[in-house]
Amino acid sequence: MESLLLPRVMPSLQDIRRAKKQLPDLDPIGHHAINEVVRVCRDIQVALDRSLAHHSLTFGRYVALSVVFRFGKEGTTAATIADELNVTRATVTGLLDNLERDGLVVRERQTDDRRRITVRCTPKAIQILRLIGPEQARGVAQAVGVLSLKEKKE
C-alpha cells in the first residue's frame, strides 16, 4: 500500500475558482471538499505511520494484520485479505512475508486441502495490536478534536 501522492499544499478554494475559467464544468466547492477529505486522509496516514513505526510496522502491514486479526483463531486466506484490502494477491504475499518474518502471523497448510493456506495472528501480533488500539484512539481524538459534534456526525 502506497502513500497518497499529493502536493504538500493542496489548491485553495480561490485557486480552484480561478481554474474554473479554463474548466467551465468544474465545481469549485465540490472539488475543494474532495481535496480537504483527501488531505485529512493523508494527514491521518502520516500520523499513523509515525505511531506504527514504534512497533516496526508500516501502514500497509498494520492494515493487513488488522484484517487477519478480525478473523480470530479461525484465520483467513491471502485471497480474502487481498479482497478486503482491494489489492493484488502478490501485494498481500509481500505483506505476509514480512509479517511472518517478524513473527506476527503464521501460515499453515490445511490438512484436508493442502492447496489452502490459513493465515493467523501470533500472540506477539495480538499483544502489539492491543498496544496500538489506545494509541490510535488518542490519535483519532486529536485529529477530530477541532470538529464540533455536528461536524463529526456529518
Side-chain angles (χ1 to χ4, degrees):
M1 275 176 236
E2 296 180 25
S3 296
L4 295 172
L5 181 61
L6 299 168
R8 190 174 48 81
V9 178
M10 298 296 280
S12 69
L13 181 54
Q14 221 173 11
D15 294 333
I16 297 168
R17 284 187 172 138
R18 278 194 294 271
K20 186 166 174 63
K21 292 174 186 170
Q22 295 175 16
L23 303 166
D25 293 335
L26 183 68
D27 171 8
I29 300 293
H31 195 85
H32 181 67
I34 294 297
N35 282 353
E36 286 301 296
V37 169
V38 169
R39 182 190 56 77
V40 168
C41 289
R42 180 195 54 203
D43 292 349
I44 290 170
Q45 184 173 348
V46 167
L48 277 172
D49 279 337
R50 283 189 199 122
S51 171
L52 294 170
H54 298 293
H55 303 284
S56 299
L57 285 173
T58 63
F59 182 72
R61 290 174 61 200
Y62 167 71
V63 173
L65 188 61
S66 297
V67 170
V68 176
F69 178 76
R70 261 195 341 215
F71 284 88
K73 292 179 182 179
E74 188 175 307
T76 188
T77 65
T80 300
I81 297 166
D83 289 344
E84 291 273 330
L85 299 179
N86 197 31
V87 297
T88 66
R89 290 180 185 181
T91 298
V92 169
T93 297
L95 291 167
L96 292 176
D97 287 346
N98 290 319
L99 291 169
E100 187 174 41
R101 180 198 66 218
D102 292 345
L104 299 174
V105 298
V106 293
R107 291 187 266 199
E108 300 170 338
R109 287 200 184 275
Q110 294 301 302
T111 54
D112 58 333
D113 183 351
R114 301 226 2 109
R115 295 169 297 173
R116 182 178 160 95
I117 297 173
T118 301
V119 183
R120 292 183 183 81
C121 285
T122 64
K124 178 181 176 182
I126 294 167
Q127 181 181 8
I128 288 173
L129 289 170
R130 286 187 178 142
L131 290 172
I132 291 173
E135 291 173 10
Q136 270 193 311
R138 286 189 297 275
V140 168
Q142 184 178 359
V144 299
V146 297
L147 300 176
S148 69
L149 181 59
K150 181 183 176 194
E151 289 170 323
K152 288 176 189 176
K153 289 180 179 180
E154 292 173 350

